[in-house]
Amino acid sequence: MKHIYEQGTDKTAPVLLLLHGTGGTEQDLLGIAKHIDAEASILSVRGNVLENGMPRFFRRLAEGVFDIEDLKLRTEELNKFIDQAAQQYGFDRSKVVAIGYSNGANIAASLMFHYQDALMGAILHHPMVPLRGLQLPDLSGKEVFIAAGENDPICPPQETKELAELLEGAGASLELLWERYGHQLSRSEIEAAKGWYNKTYKSNS
């Protein structure tokens, strides 16, 4: 998978896995990641699927209607890629925290839905429920921050609430932030994510 890896100066920090939104690239979230933790290593990945020339992490049949078989396939593909990257770059596979926006947040949630140890935690900006009817793994000890828009036209609030309930039901610790900026990635939610990250991963170091 096309990607960028940047070695951080803090070997004890989580490795930040960056997952862009539809039409984005592996460059999109670098500034946000460095704002959240300037010392962490970064693995930023470009989605392998194209929709009208726009990179995505999995196919969809229509707006808000996911191609579930492709989602499962691409989730497995991404998980294996992270495994390979950990070996290639020598980072701790058990300390990966995803930062995903929109489509990227959905594939990050899907990683947690399918694989108990894929992620140590996740910052999910405007995610939806990736798929339903799945028995989630035990996510005890996993930390998740979700930022959502009360008036998001692409991701209805009910989707966010259901995702939060599913993750908490599987044992994850969860913080949920509501804003009123639609589907856009706002400065204030990035600041809130940074505050959550510092509290979760920096306070004990």
Side-chain angles (χ1 to χ4, degrees):
M1 299 181 78
K2 285 189 177 174
H3 67 283
I4 295 168
Y5 181 76
E6 293 186 5
Q7 178 69 51
T9 55
D10 183 357
K11 289 284 182 73
T12 66
V15 175
L16 302 180
L17 171 69
L18 310 185
L19 304 166
H20 61 78
T22 300
T25 73
E26 63 276 24
Q27 302 282 345
D28 281 23
L29 302 178
L30 291 175
I32 291 171
K34 286 171 180 170
H35 180 67
I36 287 175
D37 189 347
E39 299 175 325
S41 296
I42 290 170
L43 178 64
S44 189
V45 185
R46 183 187 299 192
N48 265 353
V49 172
L50 285 178
E51 181 183 278
N52 301 320
M54 298 186 297
R56 279 177 56 86
F57 286 98
F58 57 88
R59 286 200 294 264
R60 59 183 170 182
L61 308 175
E63 182 87 54
V65 183
F66 301 157
D67 181 332
I68 297 301
E69 289 311 308
D70 191 63
L71 170 65
K72 291 176 181 175
L73 176 75
R74 301 297 176 177
T75 302
E76 181 182 13
E77 178 183 67
L78 179 58
N79 194 50
K80 285 179 177 173
F81 172 76
I82 304 166
D83 291 346
Q84 291 162 2
Q87 289 187 321
Q88 181 179 350
Y89 298 115
F91 63 78
D92 186 342
R93 179 65 183 87
S94 69
K95 293 186 70 174
V96 176
V97 173
I99 301 176
Y101 167 57
S102 193
N103 179 242
N106 295 337
I107 194 86
S110 184
L111 280 171
M112 299 191 85
F113 271 42
H114 285 92
Y115 303 105
Q116 181 177 24
D117 297 320
L119 300 173
M120 179 168 73
I123 294 172
L124 306 176
H125 294 283
H126 304 267
M128 296 174 70
V129 178
L131 74 168
R132 292 171 173 84
L134 188 71
Q135 178 66 45
L136 270 61
D138 180 2
L139 298 177
S140 301
K142 309 295 182 184
E143 304 278 352
V144 181
F145 174 87
I146 295 177
E150 293 175 3
N151 54 344
D152 189 330
I154 293 171
C155 174
Q158 191 51 46
E159 282 279 335
T160 304
K161 291 172 186 169
E162 185 181 343
L163 177 62
E165 287 168 5
L166 287 167
L167 289 169
E168 285 185 314
S173 299
L174 193 131
E175 187 169 312
L176 177 54
L177 172 76
W178 290 102
E179 293 207 318
R180 299 193 65 84
Y181 298 107
H183 195 65
Q184 75 186 57
L185 189 52
S186 71
R187 181 78 192 182
S188 52
E189 71 184 71
I190 293 165
E191 290 299 333
K194 178 181 171 73
W196 171 87
Y197 177 91
N198 286 337
K199 179 179 65 180
T200 305
Y201 296 114
K202 292 292 196 180
S203 58
N204 298 326
S205 59

